[in-house]
Amino acid sequence: AFPHAIEPQYPGALETIVDITACWDDDKLFANRDAIVSLSRSCSRCHEYCCRYLGAAASLAGDTYRIALECLNSQKLAGYCKRLIERELKPVREGGGRERIRVFSAVTNEGVVAFTDSIKQLGQRLYLINDEYGAVSRVVLQTLRTAALAAGYDILCGYCPLSPFEKLEYLFIPETGAGFVTSNHFHDFSLLLDPYRIVNYKRFTDMEQLREKRKRLNFNKKAAAQMIAQAQGLIQDAKILHDDLEAYYVQATDFEKVETLTQSVLRRIDALCAR
């Protein structure tokens, strides 16, 4: 892909700008400027509309979560979380642990993709939380996250691509080998993983109360799936536009210059490592 600039925070001291644009034929790019501008704008619009559809899906999923949250048996769930913490999270050090964020699922041009291989590698002992509505899993994982950090464990967390700042769906504790994964109709792991234990949301939910809301829940589920499908289509369109745009930059790039620049950067890295 053509290069994307990242502004250095400490230029020259800790970061160095590698200017690939010096390897371009500006005349060729200028000659194709109308097509490049048109493709770039069209690609940006696809991404913009995609984000709107995903935002709509997130709003529907959030409504479903709030409905399910009202149907929780909070006392029973709190008791389960307490026992789980006592079993899995013995204090190991003072000062608290550290959290790192990883991506374990994403909405792509091929639909919702989950990185099952990474999940298997990180969780030798997996707890699979089957939760269609997101209330039980969110409470369990947030409770475990807080407890793990307080106990001094370093953890890996993965958030829902629709709510990447608040809806925790994956939690791994490498030091113990334990992993906690949410499974639902968007990313169903029931046949893909061999869990150590399965936690079903129905165990902590007033199902009669939840059934009273089934019309709204079914609407949210169907509409959210449609929004995600629209987003997927827009990502597919953006990919095609991006490939067409990239072709202009490939034609205008002197790859011998790129190789010379690459070797220069590698020599500098070797020199710095030898100090």
Side-chain angles (χ1 to χ4, degrees):
F2 56 89
H4 300 265
I6 299 175
E7 190 70 23
Q9 186 174 0
Y10 307 105
L14 296 180
E15 301 107 347
T16 299
I17 296 175
V18 179
D19 186 12
I20 301 293
T21 64
C23 305
W24 289 346
D25 185 330
D26 291 337
D27 290 337
K28 287 184 178 180
L29 294 176
F30 183 76
N32 293 301
R33 62 191 180 280
D34 291 340
I36 289 172
V37 169
S38 177
L39 285 168
S40 182
R41 288 176 175 173
S42 296
C43 189
S44 294
R45 281 196 295 271
C46 284
H47 286 297
E48 178 186 348
Y49 297 150
C50 173
C51 289
R52 292 180 182 178
Y53 278 113
L54 292 178
S59 180
L60 292 162
D63 183 60
T64 293
Y65 158 71
R66 287 185 288 274
I67 292 171
L69 192 63
E70 294 174 355
C71 303
L72 277 188
N73 185 329
S74 299
Q75 185 174 357
K76 186 176 182 180
L77 185 57
Y80 172 77
C81 289
K82 182 176 182 293
R83 294 189 298 274
L84 190 58
I85 290 168
E86 290 172 349
R87 182 167 66 245
E88 292 288 351
L89 298 174
K90 306 295 183 183
V92 290
R93 62 183 66 86
E94 296 181 357
R98 294 179 300 171
E99 176 186 27
R100 287 183 292 164
I101 307 299
R102 294 279 184 88
V103 175
F104 294 104
S105 58
V107 179
T108 75
N109 58 313
E110 298 179 0
V112 179
V113 173
F115 303 107
T116 310
D117 289 343
S118 296
I119 291 171
K120 290 178 179 178
Q121 289 174 5
L122 289 169
Q124 291 81 42
R125 196 170 66 261
L126 284 173
Y127 288 78
L128 189 65
I129 307 174
N130 285 329
D131 185 6
E132 280 299 317
Y133 305 110
V136 169
S137 58
R138 195 181 301 197
V139 170
V140 170
L141 291 176
Q142 287 290 3
T143 303
L144 290 174
R145 173 186 175 275
T146 300
L149 291 173
Y153 290 98
D154 292 340
I155 61 176
L156 297 174
C157 290
Y159 288 79
C160 173
L162 299 182
S163 301
F165 302 106
E166 58 183 36
K167 188 179 180 185
L168 186 61
E169 291 193 322
Y170 309 88
L171 172 66
F172 297 93
I173 310 170
E175 193 168 344
T176 69
F180 305 86
V181 176
T182 303
S183 180
N184 53 45
H185 65 279
F186 289 115
H187 41 73
D188 186 355
F189 294 111
S190 58
L191 299 178
L192 301 175
L193 300 176
D194 183 20
Y196 167 67
R197 288 190 180 172
I198 297 175
V199 182
N200 196 305
Y201 77 97
K202 294 180 181 181
R203 176 179 170 186
F204 309 102
T205 303
D206 185 333
M207 295 304 296
E208 184 60 35
Q209 185 181 356
L210 196 65
R211 276 190 287 270
E212 293 174 2
K213 305 288 187 179
R214 64 181 178 274
K215 281 189 177 181
R216 188 162 149 195
L217 292 170
N218 288 339
F219 171 82
N220 286 352
K221 179 180 179 179
K222 183 177 179 180
Q226 291 174 339
M227 296 300 103
I228 291 175
Q230 289 294 325
Q232 176 188 346
L234 285 162
I235 298 173
Q236 290 172 341
D237 292 342
K239 175 66 166 60
I240 294 171
L241 291 166
H242 181 276
D243 289 347
D244 291 342
L245 179 60
E246 185 179 62
Y248 286 104
Y249 285 87
V250 171
Q251 293 169 7
T253 299
D254 184 334
F255 287 97
E256 289 186 3
K257 287 185 178 180
V258 173
E259 178 62 23
T260 300
L261 179 60
T262 300
Q263 294 304 319
S264 175
V265 172
L266 290 173
R267 285 195 296 271
R268 184 170 183 182
I269 292 172
D270 289 339
L272 289 171
C273 292
R275 290 182 181 178

